[in-house]
Amino acid sequence: MINTQDLTWESLTNASNIPKPVLSWLDDEQSLTAKLKQQFDDFSVNVLSQIQATPYSNENEVLNFEGQSVIREVELLGNNQAVVFARSVIPITKDTKDLLSIGSKPLGEVLFNDSSISRGSLQITHTGNTWGRRSTFTIGTTKLLVSEFFLETLYA
């Protein structure tokens, strides 16, 4: 849905010209899933793909991982309309085996409901009018990367 291969990412503190309605979505440390469930009466996940593949070089740089990964791309739907596109890179390790079978369950729900999982700092990007953020989550000794892109239908 969104080509994330060649995007430039930066720290949220270094970014400028972020529209106010977008900033409240970008600069939020809580679970996006929980926030969307509060915003919409009907929330669901549409899994676009979940395949074993090689991450993009900008993703590998963040993860510092050389093995096989699963790339999961989903749309988060609010009242049956796509409001967020998410791309997750999940290295295949003993730490992440349970994540690979969650189906259409929101990944964020799993990550934020386990106090042993820690979140790294946020980076942001934009392409046209679509703004995105990404951060790592550490499970055991494995880092995974979650990128979320806020579609204009969410805040327009």
Side-chain angles (χ1 to χ4, degrees):
M1 185 170 184
I2 293 174
N3 180 357
T4 62
Q5 184 171 359
D6 298 319
L7 295 175
T8 302
W9 295 87
E10 63 183 332
S11 165
L12 182 60
T13 56
N14 294 339
S16 59
N17 301 324
I18 302 171
K20 273 198 189 296
V22 180
L23 187 58
S24 68
W25 291 97
L26 290 174
D27 189 16
D28 192 337
E29 294 291 329
Q30 68 176 316
S31 163
L32 178 59
T33 300
K35 190 170 182 175
L36 290 171
K37 283 182 173 183
Q38 289 173 349
Q39 180 95 6
F40 297 101
D41 294 332
D42 183 17
F43 171 81
S44 61
V45 176
N46 177 29
V47 179
L48 300 170
S49 66
Q50 183 168 317
I51 58 169
Q52 193 168 321
T54 303
Y56 298 136
S57 60
N58 73 57
E59 295 167 330
N60 267 336
E61 286 172 18
V62 172
L63 292 174
N64 195 23
F65 182 76
E66 301 276 332
Q68 289 293 307
S69 295
V70 167
I71 311 296
R72 174 181 162 100
E73 294 186 341
V74 302
E75 292 174 321
L76 304 181
L77 306 174
N79 298 338
N80 295 312
Q81 186 173 8
V83 292
V84 175
F85 168 74
R87 176 181 166 91
S88 302
V89 179
I90 306 168
I92 301 172
T93 69
K94 64 177 177 37
D95 294 327
T96 62
K97 66 179 180 335
D98 292 342
L99 288 181
L100 301 178
S101 60
I102 63 171
S104 62
K105 186 174 183 177
L107 179 60
E109 210 167 77
V110 176
L111 298 175
F112 280 90
N113 288 337
D114 185 336
S115 61
S116 70
I117 297 174
S118 63
R119 185 179 194 180
S121 60
L122 288 173
Q123 292 183 312
I124 64 162
T125 192
H126 68 93
T127 176
N129 290 329
T130 301
W131 287 81
R133 69 179 186 183
R134 73 179 182 182
S135 58
T136 59
F137 290 84
T138 303
I139 303 173
T141 60
T142 304
K143 275 188 192 177
L144 60 112
L145 182 65
V146 177
S147 303
E148 301 156 327
F149 296 87
F150 303 98
L151 307 178
E152 282 188 272
T153 52
L154 178 64
Y155 56 83

